[in-house]
Amino acid sequence: LDDIAGERGLKKASLYHYIKSKDELLCDIYLQIFDRIEAAVAPNVTLGLPVDERLRRMVHAHIQVVAAERDSLSVVFQEEAELPEDLQRAIRHRKRAHEALFETVIAQGQREGVCRPGSVRLMVLALLGMCNWMYKWHRSDKFDVDEVAAEFALTLESGIRSGEPRSGAWPRFGSLEEAFAPTEQALCRVRAELERVEAELEIARERLRDGLVDRPVLYPVTSSAYSSTKKK
């Protein structure tokens, strides 16, 4: 609390004008993270896309936020059990609301024959448990977030049995323009770099024409080097 007060330019006692307790502060952090996750995931639920594509996008969106909020999640996940019952109840309510987003899509997929029959509740618990546990092990220098999301989504879609080889379950693009946009951007960067190198090369040519670049130095062959060459 001293650190927080110092960061905000307040006295420690002044913080209690805004929060009632450390427990309430921890709960607020938790609920703010839920706000960010739901803001990223919820819009995908009602998109006019096939069930599997919506679910894929929801997984990617959820994992992106978990990776971004890893430090905060490390605190709240470890300390959640220590909160008073009323605050734990508030958190459980938000959890169920978030889980219901996935349950809605998977249940629709079952009705359409896209998702296999089974307990929707257990499927969602398994999915979110896999995604949320990232806070324990994810390091950005070791695992690219998009790669993790693609692998997790593929595991969700296909399980772990071997079959048609795939590198991950990536969200599909809405158009060819969107699909090729990253490649075209990379190509533009390569072209710009090529133009820069060509410009430097032209400057070097002009300097050479103007005699600003020294001629190559022809080093004389030493007697020892000559003898060695002669023997060979």
Side-chain angles (χ1 to χ4, degrees):
L1 289 180
D2 285 334
D3 292 340
I4 296 173
E7 186 70 22
R8 304 307 302 167
L10 299 171
K11 293 183 178 179
K12 180 178 177 180
S14 300
L15 286 177
Y16 289 99
H17 174 72
Y18 303 97
I19 58 172
K20 295 178 181 178
S21 65
K22 297 177 184 178
D23 290 335
E24 186 182 83
L25 179 60
L26 181 63
C27 184
D28 285 346
I29 294 172
Y30 210 142
L31 297 180
Q32 285 180 25
I33 295 173
F34 268 113
D35 288 342
R36 293 167 189 163
I37 291 178
E38 289 179 7
V41 172
N44 296 288
V45 176
T46 56
L47 287 177
L49 296 171
V51 165
D52 57 344
E53 178 61 20
R54 278 183 282 155
L55 193 57
R56 188 178 299 130
R57 294 187 180 208
M58 291 167 69
V59 170
H60 277 255
H62 183 97
I63 286 178
Q64 288 283 353
V65 180
V66 169
E69 301 292 340
R70 178 179 171 272
D71 291 340
S72 296
L73 285 171
S74 297
V75 175
V76 295
F77 281 160
Q78 293 180 46
E79 303 295 335
E80 178 184 353
E82 304 301 322
L83 291 174
E85 176 58 29
D86 60 329
L87 296 181
Q88 288 194 43
R89 192 181 307 115
I91 290 175
R92 286 197 299 269
H93 179 74
R94 289 299 300 274
K95 282 183 178 179
R96 284 298 296 127
H98 184 62
E99 291 162 1
L101 297 176
F102 287 88
E103 291 172 3
T104 298
V105 177
I106 292 178
Q108 181 184 349
Q110 288 181 335
R111 292 192 298 271
E112 296 176 358
V114 177
C115 299
R116 67 168 178 80
S119 170
V120 174
R121 178 82 176 125
L122 291 179
M123 290 180 186
V124 172
L125 289 176
L127 164 63
L128 294 181
M130 177 173 63
C131 295
N132 291 337
W133 194 250
M134 283 178 60
Y135 89 92
K136 277 287 192 179
W137 54 263
H138 182 258
R139 299 291 186 278
S140 58
D141 59 332
K142 293 184 178 181
F143 299 101
D144 179 78
V145 176
D146 288 335
E147 295 288 347
V148 172
E151 190 65 35
F152 279 18
L154 180 60
T155 300
L156 171 67
E157 294 179 12
S158 307
I160 60 175
R161 294 184 62 183
S162 62
E164 179 184 355
R166 295 168 62 188
S167 60
W170 303 89
R172 294 186 177 92
F173 295 102
S175 64
L176 288 176
E177 291 77 12
E178 183 184 354
F180 285 105
T183 303
E184 291 178 351
Q185 292 170 2
L187 184 58
C188 287
R189 290 194 294 269
V190 171
R191 286 172 175 165
E193 180 65 13
L194 181 60
E195 290 175 358
R196 184 189 66 79
V197 173
E198 288 178 340
E200 291 184 356
L201 182 59
E202 185 59 32
I203 293 174
R205 289 196 183 100
E206 291 299 326
R207 292 183 63 196
L208 187 60
R209 294 191 191 99
D210 294 342
L212 296 179
V213 175
D214 294 335
R215 297 191 178 194
V217 178
L218 299 177
Y219 295 97
V221 178
T222 62
S223 58
S224 60
Y226 175 78
S227 301
S228 175
T229 305
K230 187 174 180 182
K231 290 179 181 179
K232 291 181 180 179

